[in-house]
Amino acid sequence: MAIYHLSTKPVSRSSGRTATASIAYRAGIAIKDERTGKEHDYTKRKGVAHTRLHTPNDLKIERNELWNLAETTETRKNSRTAREIVVNLPHELSGRLRMMLVNDFAKDLANQYGVAVDVAIHTPDAQGDNRNHHAHIMLTTRKLERLESGRVALTSKSQLEMSNTQLKERGLPSAREELKAIREQWANITNKHLKEAKIDARIDHRSHKDRGLEQLPTKKLGWEASALERKGIKTSTGDYNRKVEEYNHAMQQLAIIEKSLNAVTEQRVQSNDRLREAIERAVKLIESATYNTAWADKRARQVNERVNDSQQGIEGAEREINASASAIDQADRRIAEHQQSKLKAEREAQLQQQAKELLLQNSQELHAQAVKGEKAVNAYETRLANIEKQFFFLNLTPSTKD
């Protein structure tokens, strides 16, 4: 599995170190220290897989010039001339992907802090762990900038080299907080590359304590202790790491046992839960069956009641049909009687009409006879009046007898 490691330390004159010697050894190159006149030649060094120099805004400067500038810019005898970061590279990644990973990280540091960042990737030692791919990352302690004259120079101290008082005055995080941010940044970019390579392994920048782990961290052996351990000579750091490994192994076994117990307990709880659920389902089924039986009985009673009601309805309908048939018979008789009455009335009306017509005819004849008789009477009276006139003129008086 991928292992997280990131450590940082200054390259200081007080410890007898120089930036030129450090980069010459790590990059496997030859550099002459212009301040001391000393030649540092490590061109025959093996195990350097890749080197690359990153500068902010891609400023152009040679490696020899840069690190000699770092030495000559500092004047105190205890000056820090460089800062080194050592990171472990995931052995799960290919050589090309490891190179891309560390260069992405170095480029971010250069642009973030405005410093030059020199990368050297080392392969595992032949006698050591063949998974120990790692990189040495050298940072200048001052910002690399181009002056108005056009010359590239190291100017003010970078944020990583300021005291906590200076950082606080500028409203910046403390040195400890900034280092934690860099550790997290390395974890994030490493995990990003692992994910892109479709590798499940991940690293975590947090301490065992912060992660809630009971395991103890081991100490880095360093090249001297590693060489002694490979020769079979035990060292204090190696002894400490072995005790830590024994303790961690015991804790791992204890964790496995605890995990097994928890799994058994969880299985028992799950079994009890499943049994309880099964019982509850059975009770619900019984309750549902009881309810369905009662409901079915109720429905059966309702159906029987409806059947009885229907039977009574049928009987009532039959009575109504019989009554209707009787009523129809009565209606037929009444219709027949009505038709007979109608025929009788029609005959009576015809007789009345004939009587009326006969009476009218007789009346007309009588009227004609009366008119004729009246005319005869009128003619007689007229004649009689004429006779009386004649007698009056003759002075004759007609007798009543006449």
Side-chain angles (χ1 to χ4, degrees):
M1 58 179 294
I3 299 174
Y4 183 91
H5 174 78
L6 183 148
S7 60
T8 178
K9 57 185 177 180
V11 177
S12 177
R13 287 175 184 167
S14 60
S15 61
R17 302 177 66 195
T18 63
T20 50
S22 296
I23 194 61
Y25 176 78
R26 282 147 183 76
I29 60 174
I31 292 182
K32 181 178 180 180
D33 191 324
E34 296 175 359
R35 186 180 65 86
T36 62
K38 212 171 177 183
E39 183 81 25
H40 305 288
D41 188 356
Y42 293 96
T43 53
K44 294 182 180 180
R45 188 187 189 288
K46 297 180 180 179
V48 180
H50 170 75
T51 62
R52 183 172 178 179
L53 177 60
H54 296 270
T55 59
N57 300 318
D58 294 328
L59 293 175
K60 301 298 181 182
I61 189 170
E62 295 296 328
R63 180 176 281 115
N64 289 5
E65 180 185 357
L66 172 68
W67 295 113
N68 270 298
L69 187 60
E71 284 292 329
T72 57
T73 301
E74 305 299 338
T75 57
R76 299 195 316 272
K77 63 179 180 180
N78 62 346
S79 294
R80 294 192 301 269
T81 56
R83 178 166 294 277
E84 181 182 22
I85 296 177
V86 181
V87 294
N88 186 73
L89 302 177
H91 68 89
E92 293 89 347
L93 295 175
S94 66
R96 182 181 66 84
L97 293 179
R98 286 192 292 268
M99 180 180 67
M100 292 174 61
L101 165 62
V102 72
N103 280 312
D104 284 349
F105 180 59
K107 186 176 181 180
D108 288 346
L109 293 176
N111 292 326
Q112 184 175 351
Y113 298 106
V115 297
V117 182
D118 209 346
V119 173
I121 297 179
H122 290 181
T123 58
D125 294 334
Q127 297 82 10
D129 189 343
N130 60 3
R131 299 170 299 176
N132 187 26
H133 298 274
H134 60 281
H136 296 265
I137 304 171
M138 297 275 291
L139 289 76
T140 58
T141 59
R142 295 178 180 271
K143 293 181 179 180
L144 185 68
E145 298 177 306
R146 185 180 298 280
L147 304 179
E148 293 182 359
S149 62
R151 183 172 63 89
V152 176
L154 291 171
T155 57
S156 60
K157 286 286 187 181
S158 74
Q159 178 181 341
L160 296 176
E161 306 305 321
M162 293 181 186
S163 66
N164 284 329
T165 301
Q166 292 172 322
L167 292 169
K168 186 175 181 180
E169 290 174 352
R170 291 166 173 78
L172 297 173
S174 66
R176 183 180 181 85
E177 291 173 345
E178 194 63 29
L179 176 58
K180 289 176 66 177
I182 291 175
R183 289 175 59 82
E184 182 177 2
Q185 184 177 354
W186 171 246
N188 291 339
I189 194 170
T190 301
N191 289 333
K192 176 177 176 290
H193 279 261
L194 288 169
K195 182 178 180 180
E196 290 175 351
K198 301 185 185 316
I199 296 173
D200 294 334
R202 297 292 184 271
I203 61 175
D204 196 323
H205 67 284
R206 296 173 298 172
S207 66
H208 285 46
K209 181 179 179 181
D210 291 340
R211 293 165 62 186
L213 300 178
E214 295 183 1
Q215 292 184 343
L216 297 176
T218 57
K219 294 180 180 179
K220 186 174 178 63
L221 281 176
W223 67 271
E224 293 178 345
S226 297
L228 292 173
E229 290 284 340
R230 284 197 294 270
K231 293 177 182 179
I233 303 173
K234 294 185 178 181
T235 62
S236 58
T237 304
D239 291 339
Y240 172 82
N241 287 344
R242 279 185 283 274
K243 290 181 180 179
V244 168
E245 288 173 356
E246 290 177 3
Y247 171 82
N248 289 340
H249 179 72
M251 294 303 296
Q252 287 176 355
Q253 295 300 316
L254 182 61
I256 291 172
I257 294 172
E258 185 177 359
K259 184 177 180 181
S260 299
L261 289 174
N262 291 336
V264 171
T265 303
E266 180 65 22
Q267 289 177 358
R268 181 175 299 172
V269 171
Q270 291 179 358
S271 298
N272 291 338
D273 290 341
R274 287 195 295 269
L275 179 60
R276 189 181 300 108
E277 291 175 358
I279 293 172
E280 290 176 353
R281 286 197 299 269
V283 170
K284 288 182 179 179
L285 288 173
I286 293 171
E287 291 176 349
S288 177
T290 302
Y291 171 79
N292 290 335
T293 302
W295 181 82
D297 291 341
K298 182 179 179 181
R299 291 294 296 169
R301 287 194 300 271
Q302 292 176 348
V303 170
N304 290 331
E305 290 174 357
R306 290 186 179 180
V307 169
N308 294 332
D309 293 342
S310 299
Q311 186 65 34
Q312 293 176 1
I314 291 170
E315 293 175 355
E318 289 177 349
R319 289 193 297 270
E320 290 178 359
I321 290 171
N322 294 331
S324 298
S326 177
I328 291 171
D329 293 339
Q330 291 178 2
D332 290 339
R333 287 194 297 271
R334 289 180 181 180
I335 290 171
E337 292 173 355
H338 176 71
Q339 290 178 345
Q340 291 177 358
S341 298
K342 185 179 180 181
L343 293 173
K344 183 177 180 181
E346 288 177 353
R347 285 195 298 270
E348 290 178 353
Q350 290 177 355
L351 292 173
Q352 290 177 359
Q353 183 65 28
Q354 291 175 358
K356 286 180 181 180
E357 291 177 355
L358 181 59
L359 180 60
L360 178 60
Q361 183 178 2
N362 293 335
S363 297
Q364 290 176 350
E365 291 177 355
L366 290 173
H367 178 71
Q369 291 177 1
V371 171
K372 185 176 180 180
E374 185 179 358
K375 287 181 179 180
V377 169
N378 290 335
Y380 175 78
E381 288 179 352
T382 301
R383 182 176 180 187
L384 181 59
N386 291 330
I387 293 173
E388 286 178 352
K389 285 179 183 181
Q390 291 176 2
F391 276 103
F392 180 74
F393 288 121
L394 295 177
N395 292 320
L396 292 177
T397 303
S399 65
T400 306
K401 188 178 179 180
D402 293 334

